Tab-separated table of all heavy atoms in Angstrom:
chain	number	residue	atom	x	y	z
A	13	MET	N	71.173	139.552	400.826
A	13	MET	CA	71.579	140.932	400.943
A	13	MET	C	72.892	141.222	400.282
A	13	MET	O	72.970	141.943	399.351
A	13	MET	CB	71.642	141.299	402.453
A	13	MET	CG	70.352	141.189	403.233
A	13	MET	SD	69.241	142.504	402.837
A	13	MET	CE	69.691	143.670	404.102
A	14	SER	N	73.903	140.430	400.698
A	14	SER	CA	75.243	140.716	400.145
A	14	SER	C	75.494	139.745	398.946
A	14	SER	O	75.795	138.582	399.110
A	14	SER	CB	76.295	140.544	401.147
A	14	SER	OG	76.294	139.186	401.682
A	15	VAL	N	75.231	140.163	397.719
A	15	VAL	CA	75.482	139.389	396.570
A	15	VAL	C	76.629	139.976	395.724
A	15	VAL	O	76.702	141.222	395.497
A	15	VAL	CB	74.207	139.351	395.641
A	15	VAL	CG1	74.451	138.474	394.446
A	15	VAL	CG2	72.995	138.873	396.478
A	16	SER	N	77.612	139.148	395.440
A	16	SER	CA	78.826	139.641	394.708
A	16	SER	C	78.502	139.563	393.212
A	16	SER	O	77.969	138.644	392.708
A	16	SER	CB	80.019	138.779	395.082
A	16	SER	OG	79.819	137.476	394.778
A	17	GLY	N	78.928	140.574	392.478
A	17	GLY	CA	78.727	140.576	391.087
A	17	GLY	C	77.930	141.734	390.569
A	17	GLY	O	77.384	142.539	391.386
A	18	LEU	N	77.772	141.883	389.232
A	18	LEU	CA	77.013	142.916	388.590
A	18	LEU	C	75.519	142.461	388.370
A	18	LEU	O	75.333	141.342	388.161
A	18	LEU	CB	77.639	143.408	387.358
A	18	LEU	CG	78.980	144.211	387.520
A	18	LEU	CD1	79.576	144.528	386.178
A	18	LEU	CD2	78.744	145.527	388.291
A	19	CYS	N	74.663	143.436	388.296
A	19	CYS	CA	73.299	143.137	387.873
A	19	CYS	C	73.339	142.528	386.533
A	19	CYS	O	73.987	143.081	385.560
A	19	CYS	CB	72.441	144.439	387.836
A	19	CYS	SG	70.897	144.318	386.978
A	20	GLN	N	72.692	141.455	386.294
A	20	GLN	CA	72.746	140.709	384.988
A	20	GLN	C	71.804	141.301	384.009
A	20	GLN	O	71.742	140.839	382.871
A	20	GLN	CB	72.479	139.183	385.153
A	20	GLN	CG	73.510	138.554	386.022
A	20	GLN	CD	73.358	137.017	386.181
A	20	GLN	OE1	72.210	136.586	386.200
A	20	GLN	NE2	74.391	136.295	386.322
A	21	ILE	N	70.983	142.291	384.376
A	21	ILE	CA	70.081	142.941	383.447
A	21	ILE	C	70.689	144.135	382.796
A	21	ILE	O	70.697	144.331	381.630
A	21	ILE	CB	68.787	143.290	384.189
A	21	ILE	CG1	68.068	141.990	384.664
A	21	ILE	CG2	67.809	144.026	383.279
A	21	ILE	CD1	66.821	142.156	385.501
A	22	CYS	N	71.218	145.036	383.670
A	22	CYS	CA	71.856	146.271	383.096
A	22	CYS	C	73.360	146.117	383.103
A	22	CYS	O	74.011	146.895	382.323
A	22	CYS	CB	71.400	147.477	383.954
A	22	CYS	SG	71.978	147.452	385.646
A	23	GLU	N	73.912	145.254	383.809
A	23	GLU	CA	75.393	145.011	383.819
A	23	GLU	C	76.168	146.277	384.096
A	23	GLU	O	77.280	146.421	383.591
A	23	GLU	CB	75.790	144.443	382.498
A	23	GLU	CG	75.241	143.023	382.259
A	23	GLU	CD	75.754	142.415	380.987
A	23	GLU	OE1	76.162	143.212	380.184
A	23	GLU	OE2	75.580	141.193	380.827
A	24	SER	N	75.551	147.234	384.840
A	24	SER	CA	76.274	148.475	385.148
A	24	SER	C	76.299	148.785	386.663
A	24	SER	O	77.063	149.500	387.129
A	24	SER	CB	75.755	149.591	384.346
A	24	SER	OG	74.410	149.833	384.720
A	25	ARG	N	75.278	148.166	387.386
A	25	ARG	CA	75.229	148.441	388.821
A	25	ARG	C	75.494	147.167	389.594
A	25	ARG	O	75.305	146.087	389.073
A	25	ARG	CB	73.727	148.842	389.133
A	25	ARG	CG	73.378	150.231	388.645
A	25	ARG	CD	71.857	150.410	388.762
A	25	ARG	NE	71.485	151.803	388.638
A	25	ARG	CZ	71.386	152.559	389.772
A	25	ARG	NH1	71.570	152.061	390.996
A	25	ARG	NH2	71.004	153.833	389.690
A	26	PRO	N	75.976	147.245	390.753
A	26	PRO	CA	76.265	146.106	391.649
A	26	PRO	C	74.961	145.431	391.996
A	26	PRO	O	74.009	146.084	392.311
A	26	PRO	CB	76.920	146.657	392.850
A	26	PRO	CG	76.544	148.089	392.882
A	26	PRO	CD	76.335	148.542	391.416
A	27	ALA	N	74.978	144.067	391.897
A	27	ALA	CA	73.719	143.309	392.228
A	27	ALA	C	73.427	143.386	393.725
A	27	ALA	O	74.331	143.277	394.546
A	27	ALA	CB	73.899	141.889	391.770
A	28	GLU	N	72.147	143.611	394.032
A	28	GLU	CA	71.735	143.692	395.410
A	28	GLU	C	70.971	142.413	395.822
A	28	GLU	O	71.049	141.999	396.978
A	28	GLU	CB	70.824	144.957	395.606
A	28	GLU	CG	71.396	146.242	395.326
A	28	GLU	CD	72.348	146.659	396.409
A	28	GLU	OE1	72.304	146.107	397.524
A	28	GLU	OE2	73.210	147.535	396.205
A	29	GLU	N	70.264	141.826	394.976
A	29	GLU	CA	69.334	140.697	395.369
A	29	GLU	C	69.447	139.661	394.164
A	29	GLU	O	69.915	139.944	393.135
A	29	GLU	CB	67.906	141.110	395.474
A	29	GLU	CG	67.678	142.248	396.418
A	29	GLU	CD	67.886	141.713	397.871
A	29	GLU	OE1	67.890	140.485	398.094
A	29	GLU	OE2	67.920	142.592	398.776
A	30	ARG	N	68.925	138.433	394.479
A	30	ARG	CA	68.813	137.383	393.420
A	30	ARG	C	67.374	136.971	393.244
A	30	ARG	O	66.625	136.797	394.182
A	30	ARG	CB	69.601	136.176	394.000
A	30	ARG	CG	69.430	134.975	393.110
A	30	ARG	CD	70.217	133.724	393.576
A	30	ARG	NE	71.617	133.948	393.432
A	30	ARG	CZ	72.455	132.953	393.475
A	30	ARG	NH1	72.114	131.751	393.574
A	30	ARG	NH2	73.760	133.245	393.357
A	31	CYS	N	67.038	136.820	391.995
A	31	CYS	CA	65.645	136.482	391.675
A	31	CYS	C	65.336	135.142	392.134
A	31	CYS	O	66.112	134.212	391.916
A	31	CYS	CB	65.458	136.617	390.096
A	31	CYS	SG	63.857	135.971	389.551
A	32	GLU	N	64.170	134.974	392.792
A	32	GLU	CA	63.759	133.644	393.393
A	32	GLU	C	63.326	132.692	392.288
A	32	GLU	O	63.212	131.461	392.485
A	32	GLU	CB	62.673	133.786	394.390
A	32	GLU	CG	63.151	134.593	395.615
A	32	GLU	CD	62.048	134.772	396.621
A	32	GLU	OE1	60.932	134.272	396.370
A	32	GLU	OE2	62.301	135.409	397.679
A	33	ASN	N	62.971	133.186	391.113
A	33	ASN	CA	62.436	132.396	390.050
A	33	ASN	C	63.553	131.886	389.081
A	33	ASN	O	63.691	130.693	388.882
A	33	ASN	CB	61.406	133.173	389.255
A	33	ASN	CG	60.807	132.299	388.099
A	33	ASN	OD1	60.377	131.215	388.395
A	33	ASN	ND2	60.777	132.832	386.929
A	34	CYS	N	64.338	132.827	388.547
A	34	CYS	CA	65.404	132.422	387.601
A	34	CYS	C	66.806	132.522	388.114
A	34	CYS	O	67.778	132.104	387.507
A	34	CYS	CB	65.262	133.232	386.312
A	34	CYS	SG	65.655	134.952	386.541
A	35	GLY	N	66.961	133.075	389.371
A	35	GLY	CA	68.344	133.188	389.885
A	35	GLY	C	69.138	134.305	389.377
A	35	GLY	O	70.329	134.403	389.722
A	36	THR	N	68.556	135.182	388.568
A	36	THR	CA	69.313	136.313	388.043
A	36	THR	C	69.723	137.212	389.128
A	36	THR	O	68.932	137.619	389.966
A	36	THR	CB	68.474	137.042	386.919
A	36	THR	OG1	68.294	136.127	385.801
A	36	THR	CG2	69.147	138.278	386.517
A	37	LEU	N	70.972	137.731	389.073
A	37	LEU	CA	71.401	138.766	390.025
A	37	LEU	C	70.874	140.111	389.522
A	37	LEU	O	71.073	140.449	388.356
A	37	LEU	CB	72.916	138.741	390.143
A	37	LEU	CG	73.568	137.496	390.637
A	37	LEU	CD1	75.052	137.600	390.617
A	37	LEU	CD2	73.025	137.132	392.040
A	38	ALA	N	70.259	140.866	390.369
A	38	ALA	CA	69.584	142.138	389.980
A	38	ALA	C	70.005	143.248	390.906
A	38	ALA	O	70.060	143.023	392.126
A	38	ALA	CB	68.113	141.963	389.836
A	39	CYS	N	70.117	144.423	390.364
A	39	CYS	CA	70.447	145.546	391.192
A	39	CYS	C	69.087	146.076	391.782
A	39	CYS	O	68.076	145.535	391.454
A	39	CYS	CB	71.003	146.671	390.398
A	39	CYS	SG	69.927	147.416	389.083
A	40	GLU	N	69.107	147.131	392.599
A	40	GLU	CA	67.919	147.622	393.180
A	40	GLU	C	66.875	148.008	392.257
A	40	GLU	O	65.620	147.882	392.496
A	40	GLU	CB	68.254	148.820	394.138
A	40	GLU	CG	67.206	149.127	395.137
A	40	GLU	CD	67.699	150.108	396.177
A	40	GLU	OE1	68.843	150.573	396.077
A	40	GLU	OE2	66.854	150.482	397.047
A	41	GLN	N	67.278	148.563	391.126
A	41	GLN	CA	66.221	149.083	390.091
A	41	GLN	C	65.677	147.971	389.308
A	41	GLN	O	64.603	148.097	388.741
A	41	GLN	CB	66.990	150.115	389.137
A	41	GLN	CG	67.321	151.378	389.868
A	41	GLN	CD	67.639	152.492	388.872
A	41	GLN	OE1	67.751	152.182	387.685
A	41	GLN	NE2	67.797	153.646	389.343
A	42	HIS	N	66.288	146.796	389.208
A	42	HIS	CA	65.786	145.735	388.437
A	42	HIS	C	65.398	144.523	389.262
A	42	HIS	O	65.312	143.403	388.822
A	42	HIS	CB	66.906	145.264	387.405
A	42	HIS	CG	67.162	146.317	386.323
A	42	HIS	ND1	68.404	147.013	386.265
A	42	HIS	CD2	66.489	146.831	385.346
A	42	HIS	CE1	68.320	147.751	385.292
A	42	HIS	NE2	67.164	147.746	384.735
A	43	TYR	N	64.971	144.796	390.522
A	43	TYR	CA	64.534	143.781	391.489
A	43	TYR	C	63.245	144.234	392.102
A	43	TYR	O	63.196	145.299	392.734
A	43	TYR	CB	65.585	143.444	392.441
A	43	TYR	CG	65.207	142.312	393.440
A	43	TYR	CD1	65.353	141.041	393.044
A	43	TYR	CD2	64.715	142.636	394.715
A	43	TYR	CE1	64.951	140.036	393.935
A	43	TYR	CE2	64.310	141.625	395.551
A	43	TYR	CZ	64.451	140.317	395.176
A	43	TYR	OH	64.036	139.324	396.086
A	44	GLU	N	62.177	143.472	391.901
A	44	GLU	CA	60.897	143.846	392.536
A	44	GLU	C	60.824	143.152	393.979
A	44	GLU	O	60.590	141.957	394.084
A	44	GLU	CB	59.726	143.331	391.746
A	44	GLU	CG	59.644	143.977	390.328
A	44	GLU	CD	59.236	145.414	390.505
A	44	GLU	OE1	58.715	145.853	391.517
A	44	GLU	OE2	59.532	146.194	389.590
A	45	ARG	N	61.083	143.988	395.022
A	45	ARG	CA	61.169	143.377	396.354
A	45	ARG	C	59.846	142.801	396.760
A	45	ARG	O	59.851	141.727	397.464
A	45	ARG	CB	61.538	144.530	397.262
A	45	ARG	CG	62.979	144.540	397.660
A	45	ARG	CD	63.294	145.722	398.507
A	45	ARG	NE	64.594	146.348	398.063
A	45	ARG	CZ	65.753	145.854	398.395
A	45	ARG	NH1	65.863	144.875	399.161
A	45	ARG	NH2	66.792	146.412	397.995
A	46	ALA	N	58.729	143.288	396.417
A	46	ALA	CA	57.477	142.842	396.822
A	46	ALA	C	57.201	141.404	396.230
A	46	ALA	O	56.539	140.606	396.918
A	46	ALA	CB	56.349	143.761	396.371
A	47	MET	N	57.723	141.138	395.082
A	47	MET	CA	57.477	139.832	394.470
A	47	MET	C	58.674	138.883	394.626
A	47	MET	O	58.513	137.695	394.430
A	47	MET	CB	57.222	140.034	392.938
A	47	MET	CG	56.078	140.967	392.673
A	47	MET	SD	55.991	141.433	390.951
A	47	MET	CE	54.786	140.274	390.385
A	48	GLY	N	59.847	139.467	394.929
A	48	GLY	CA	61.009	138.536	395.064
A	48	GLY	C	61.547	138.166	393.698
A	48	GLY	O	62.167	137.059	393.551
A	49	LEU	N	61.232	138.953	392.644
A	49	LEU	CA	61.641	138.560	391.306
A	49	LEU	C	62.441	139.651	390.680
A	49	LEU	O	62.377	140.824	391.060
A	49	LEU	CB	60.350	138.301	390.470
A	49	LEU	CG	59.379	137.271	390.925
A	49	LEU	CD1	58.154	137.230	390.115
A	49	LEU	CD2	60.020	135.898	390.922
A	50	CYS	N	63.177	139.241	389.586
A	50	CYS	CA	63.904	140.294	388.855
A	50	CYS	C	62.886	141.006	387.907
A	50	CYS	O	61.769	140.583	387.757
A	50	CYS	CB	65.021	139.552	388.065
A	50	CYS	SG	64.347	138.530	386.732
A	51	ALA	N	63.390	142.103	387.288
A	51	ALA	CA	62.428	142.849	386.415
A	51	ALA	C	61.841	142.047	385.334
A	51	ALA	O	60.686	142.152	384.965
A	51	ALA	CB	63.188	144.069	385.871
A	52	ASP	N	62.605	141.067	384.796
A	52	ASP	CA	62.144	140.264	383.651
A	52	ASP	C	60.939	139.335	384.111
A	52	ASP	O	59.962	139.264	383.488
A	52	ASP	CB	63.275	139.392	383.092
A	52	ASP	CG	64.208	140.240	382.259
A	52	ASP	OD1	63.869	141.332	381.851
A	52	ASP	OD2	65.293	139.721	381.938
A	53	CYS	N	61.217	138.616	385.247
A	53	CYS	CA	60.168	137.728	385.767
A	53	CYS	C	58.970	138.505	386.184
A	53	CYS	O	57.807	138.134	386.011
A	53	CYS	CB	60.793	136.876	386.881
A	53	CYS	SG	61.989	135.712	386.296
A	54	ALA	N	59.147	139.726	386.818
A	54	ALA	CA	58.045	140.516	387.312
A	54	ALA	C	57.143	140.932	386.146
A	54	ALA	O	55.961	140.945	386.199
A	54	ALA	CB	58.571	141.718	388.097
A	55	THR	N	57.724	141.271	384.990
A	55	THR	CA	57.004	141.710	383.865
A	55	THR	C	56.227	140.568	383.267
A	55	THR	O	55.060	140.734	382.850
A	55	THR	CB	57.957	142.251	382.767
A	55	THR	OG1	58.741	143.281	383.287
A	55	THR	CG2	57.188	142.777	381.561
A	56	GLN	N	56.757	139.355	383.297
A	56	GLN	CA	56.062	138.215	382.680
A	56	GLN	C	54.947	137.737	383.601
A	56	GLN	O	53.985	137.110	383.124
A	56	GLN	CB	57.086	137.019	382.531
A	56	GLN	CG	58.087	137.306	381.405
A	56	GLN	CD	59.115	136.192	381.312
A	56	GLN	OE1	59.015	135.210	381.971
A	56	GLN	NE2	60.111	136.376	380.439
A	57	ALA	N	55.047	138.068	384.916
A	57	ALA	CA	53.992	137.618	385.867
A	57	ALA	C	52.780	138.479	385.829
A	57	ALA	O	51.702	138.077	386.266
A	57	ALA	CB	54.598	137.523	387.212
A	58	GLN	N	52.936	139.709	385.392
A	58	GLN	CA	51.827	140.701	385.472
A	58	GLN	C	50.718	140.621	384.450
A	58	GLN	O	49.589	140.664	384.810
A	58	GLN	CB	52.371	142.133	385.537
A	58	GLN	CG	53.002	142.392	386.890
A	58	GLN	CD	53.595	143.790	386.940
A	58	GLN	OE1	53.834	144.414	385.858
A	58	GLN	NE2	53.935	144.293	388.106
A	59	PRO	N	51.015	140.394	383.128
A	59	PRO	CA	50.020	140.491	382.044
A	59	PRO	C	48.835	139.553	382.289
A	59	PRO	O	47.710	139.913	381.933
A	59	PRO	CB	50.791	140.133	380.854
A	59	PRO	CG	52.222	140.485	381.029
A	59	PRO	CD	52.381	140.200	382.549
A	60	GLY	N	48.987	138.398	382.881
A	60	GLY	CA	47.903	137.478	383.097
A	60	GLY	C	46.830	138.015	383.898
A	60	GLY	O	45.656	137.666	383.685
A	61	MET	N	47.061	138.933	384.779
A	61	MET	CA	46.021	139.465	385.686
A	61	MET	C	45.052	140.322	384.873
A	61	MET	O	43.865	140.352	385.108
A	61	MET	CB	46.625	140.310	386.834
A	61	MET	CG	47.560	139.436	387.636
A	61	MET	SD	48.489	140.436	388.830
A	61	MET	CE	47.154	140.959	389.906
A	62	GLY	N	45.584	141.093	383.906
A	62	GLY	CA	44.702	141.997	383.151
A	62	GLY	C	43.842	141.285	382.143
A	62	GLY	O	42.636	141.638	381.892
A	63	ASP	N	44.278	140.179	381.604
A	63	ASP	CA	43.507	139.374	380.599
A	63	ASP	C	42.211	138.829	381.188
A	63	ASP	O	41.175	138.899	380.688
A	63	ASP	CB	44.374	138.292	379.996
A	63	ASP	CG	45.415	138.818	379.121
A	63	ASP	OD1	45.337	140.019	378.807
A	63	ASP	OD2	46.434	138.117	378.813
A	64	SER	N	42.313	138.273	382.450
A	64	SER	CA	41.180	137.612	383.032
A	64	SER	C	40.044	138.658	383.330
A	64	SER	O	38.938	138.359	383.432
A	64	SER	CB	41.599	136.911	384.309
A	64	SER	OG	42.107	137.814	385.268
A	65	GLU	N	40.465	139.889	383.578
A	65	GLU	CA	39.411	140.907	383.903
A	65	GLU	C	38.751	141.443	382.667
A	65	GLU	O	37.620	141.909	382.785
A	65	GLU	CB	40.139	142.028	384.615
A	65	GLU	CG	40.475	141.655	386.088
A	65	GLU	CD	41.002	142.846	386.811
A	65	GLU	OE1	40.810	143.996	386.347
A	65	GLU	OE2	41.649	142.653	387.916
A	66	SER	N	39.362	141.433	381.541
A	66	SER	CA	38.802	142.058	380.296
A	66	SER	C	37.681	141.204	379.744
A	66	SER	O	36.713	141.727	379.126
A	66	SER	CB	39.948	142.317	379.247
A	66	SER	OG	40.377	141.060	378.862
A	67	GLU	N	37.753	139.845	379.927
A	67	GLU	CA	36.692	139.018	379.266
A	67	GLU	C	35.260	139.299	379.859
A	67	GLU	O	34.350	139.457	379.095
A	67	GLU	CB	37.109	137.627	379.421
A	67	GLU	CG	38.254	137.206	378.483
A	67	GLU	CD	38.621	135.741	378.527
A	67	GLU	OE1	37.703	134.978	378.896
A	67	GLU	OE2	39.748	135.357	378.327
A	68	PRO	N	35.105	139.220	381.175
A	68	PRO	CA	33.712	139.465	381.727
A	68	PRO	C	33.125	140.787	381.312
A	68	PRO	O	31.899	140.859	381.078
A	68	PRO	CB	33.985	139.479	383.245
A	68	PRO	CG	35.260	138.720	383.427
A	68	PRO	CD	36.086	139.016	382.220
A	69	ASN	N	33.921	141.850	381.125
A	69	ASN	CA	33.405	143.098	380.688
A	69	ASN	C	32.769	143.000	379.269
A	69	ASN	O	31.730	143.609	379.015
A	69	ASN	CB	34.578	144.135	380.639
A	69	ASN	CG	34.964	144.510	382.073
A	69	ASN	OD1	34.261	144.221	383.018
A	69	ASN	ND2	36.209	144.999	382.177
A	70	VAL	N	33.323	142.241	378.329
A	70	VAL	CA	32.883	142.083	377.049
A	70	VAL	C	31.489	141.377	377.062
A	70	VAL	O	30.458	141.796	376.479
A	70	VAL	CB	33.793	141.309	376.175
A	70	VAL	CG1	33.168	141.024	374.792
A	70	VAL	CG2	35.116	142.083	376.016
A	71	ASP	N	31.346	140.293	377.909
A	71	ASP	CA	30.098	139.603	378.080
A	71	ASP	C	28.967	140.469	378.586
A	71	ASP	O	27.864	140.412	378.181
A	71	ASP	CB	30.297	138.380	378.970
A	71	ASP	CG	31.216	137.289	378.296
A	71	ASP	OD1	31.329	137.426	377.077
A	71	ASP	OD2	31.735	136.456	378.978
A	72	THR	N	29.274	141.288	379.569
A	72	THR	CA	28.286	142.162	380.227
A	72	THR	C	27.709	143.099	379.190
A	72	THR	O	26.520	143.324	379.125
A	72	THR	CB	28.938	142.942	381.412
A	72	THR	OG1	29.454	142.028	382.299
A	72	THR	CG2	27.955	143.758	382.102
A	73	SER	N	28.591	143.725	378.388
A	73	SER	CA	28.109	144.761	377.414
A	73	SER	C	27.195	144.000	376.402
A	73	SER	O	26.260	144.587	375.876
A	73	SER	CB	29.249	145.416	376.717
A	73	SER	OG	30.052	144.462	375.987
A	74	HIS	N	27.508	142.816	375.987
A	74	HIS	CA	26.731	141.996	375.023
A	74	HIS	C	25.296	141.779	375.608
A	74	HIS	O	24.303	141.953	374.899
A	74	HIS	CB	27.352	140.698	374.754
A	74	HIS	CG	27.942	140.630	373.402
A	74	HIS	ND1	27.197	140.552	372.270
A	74	HIS	CD2	29.276	140.646	373.014
A	74	HIS	CE1	28.005	140.518	371.225
A	74	HIS	NE2	29.265	140.635	371.606
A	75	ASP	N	25.236	141.421	376.878
A	75	ASP	CA	23.889	141.150	377.479
A	75	ASP	C	23.023	142.422	377.470
A	75	ASP	O	21.820	142.348	377.228
A	75	ASP	CB	24.143	140.604	378.994
A	75	ASP	CG	24.678	139.227	378.872
A	75	ASP	OD1	24.664	138.623	377.861
A	75	ASP	OD2	25.230	138.826	379.987
A	76	ASP	N	23.626	143.524	377.758
A	76	ASP	CA	22.830	144.717	377.848
A	76	ASP	C	22.238	145.118	376.483
A	76	ASP	O	21.061	145.468	376.405
A	76	ASP	CB	23.754	145.937	378.284
A	76	ASP	CG	24.128	145.774	379.739
A	76	ASP	OD1	23.568	145.053	380.440
A	76	ASP	OD2	25.154	146.437	380.126
A	77	VAL	N	22.997	144.800	375.379
A	77	VAL	CA	22.449	145.091	374.117
A	77	VAL	C	21.247	144.280	373.774
A	77	VAL	O	20.221	144.655	373.287
A	77	VAL	CB	23.521	144.952	373.032
A	77	VAL	CG1	22.969	145.123	371.564
A	77	VAL	CG2	24.705	145.938	373.228
A	78	ASP	N	21.383	142.920	374.116
A	78	ASP	CA	20.277	141.976	373.873
A	78	ASP	C	19.046	142.382	374.601
A	78	ASP	O	17.854	142.352	374.127
A	78	ASP	CB	20.697	140.651	374.196
A	78	ASP	CG	21.746	140.039	373.196
A	78	ASP	OD1	21.857	140.599	372.120
A	78	ASP	OD2	22.444	139.134	373.622
A	79	VAL	N	19.167	142.783	375.880
A	79	VAL	CA	18.031	143.154	376.764
A	79	VAL	C	17.315	144.335	376.127
A	79	VAL	O	16.081	144.369	376.115
A	79	VAL	CB	18.424	143.400	378.181
A	79	VAL	CG1	17.272	143.970	379.028
A	79	VAL	CG2	18.983	142.132	378.805
A	80	ASN	N	18.055	145.272	375.738
A	80	ASN	CA	17.444	146.539	375.183
A	80	ASN	C	16.583	146.242	373.887
A	80	ASN	O	15.603	146.819	373.679
A	80	ASN	CB	18.540	147.588	374.871
A	80	ASN	CG	19.066	148.163	376.170
A	80	ASN	OD1	18.424	148.049	377.273
A	80	ASN	ND2	20.268	148.686	376.102
A	81	ARG	N	17.070	145.292	373.091
A	81	ARG	CA	16.367	144.988	371.823
A	81	ARG	C	15.073	144.253	372.083
A	81	ARG	O	14.079	144.539	371.427
A	81	ARG	CB	17.246	144.146	370.885
A	81	ARG	CG	18.359	145.013	370.270
A	81	ARG	CD	19.225	144.131	369.337
A	81	ARG	NE	20.323	144.965	368.732
A	81	ARG	CZ	21.258	144.488	368.009
A	81	ARG	NH1	21.360	143.158	367.757
A	81	ARG	NH2	22.109	145.266	367.431
A	82	PHE	N	15.112	143.345	373.089
A	82	PHE	CA	13.905	142.609	373.321
A	82	PHE	C	13.009	143.475	374.322
A	82	PHE	O	11.854	143.481	374.326
A	82	PHE	CB	14.152	141.267	374.060
A	82	PHE	CG	14.820	140.272	373.101
A	82	PHE	CD1	16.136	139.930	373.200
A	82	PHE	CD2	14.013	139.783	372.063
A	82	PHE	CE1	16.613	139.000	372.325
A	82	PHE	CE2	14.529	138.857	371.180
A	82	PHE	CZ	15.842	138.465	371.335
B	110	ZN	ZN1	70.276	146.555	386.940
B	111	ZN	ZN1	64.000	136.357	387.200
C-alpha cells in the first residue's frame, strides 16, 4: 500500500503499488490491480490469449470449404 517514490513508468505520479513480476513501482493508472502487474507486464501477458483463439477459427473455415466441394 505505502510505497515511497515515483511511478517508474510515467515518473510524474506517486507510486501506489509494486509490480509482482518485475518490481517496478507503479502509480494507480499504471498498475493492474486484478493481475498484480505494472502496465508493461500486463500488456505483455495479454497478447498470448488472442493468438491461441485465432488458429482454430482458420481450420474450421477450411473444413467447411472442403465439405461443400465434395
Ligand atoms: Zn504512472
Ligand atoms: Zn512489471
Side-chain angles (χ1 to χ4, degrees):
M13 296 286 270
S14 60
V15 182
S16 61
L18 288 175
C19 168
Q20 296 182 329
I21 297 174
C22 63
E23 296 183 341
S24 63
R25 289 166 162 270
E28 298 286 344
E29 304 286 348
R30 171 181 292 201
C31 173
E32 294 180 0
N33 183 49
C34 68
T36 293
L37 299 178
C39 67
E40 196 171 0
Q41 289 194 352
H42 293 113
Y43 181 81
E44 296 292 338
R45 262 174 221 281
M47 307 171 92
L49 301 174
C50 67
D52 284 347
C53 291
T55 302
Q56 293 176 2
Q58 283 177 346
M61 299 173 67
D63 291 344
S64 61
E65 288 186 13
S66 62
E67 289 184 24
N69 290 339
V70 175
D71 291 343
T72 302
S73 62
H74 252 288
D75 290 344
D76 289 343
V77 173
D78 290 341
V79 171
N80 288 340
R81 284 181 180 175
F82 288 112

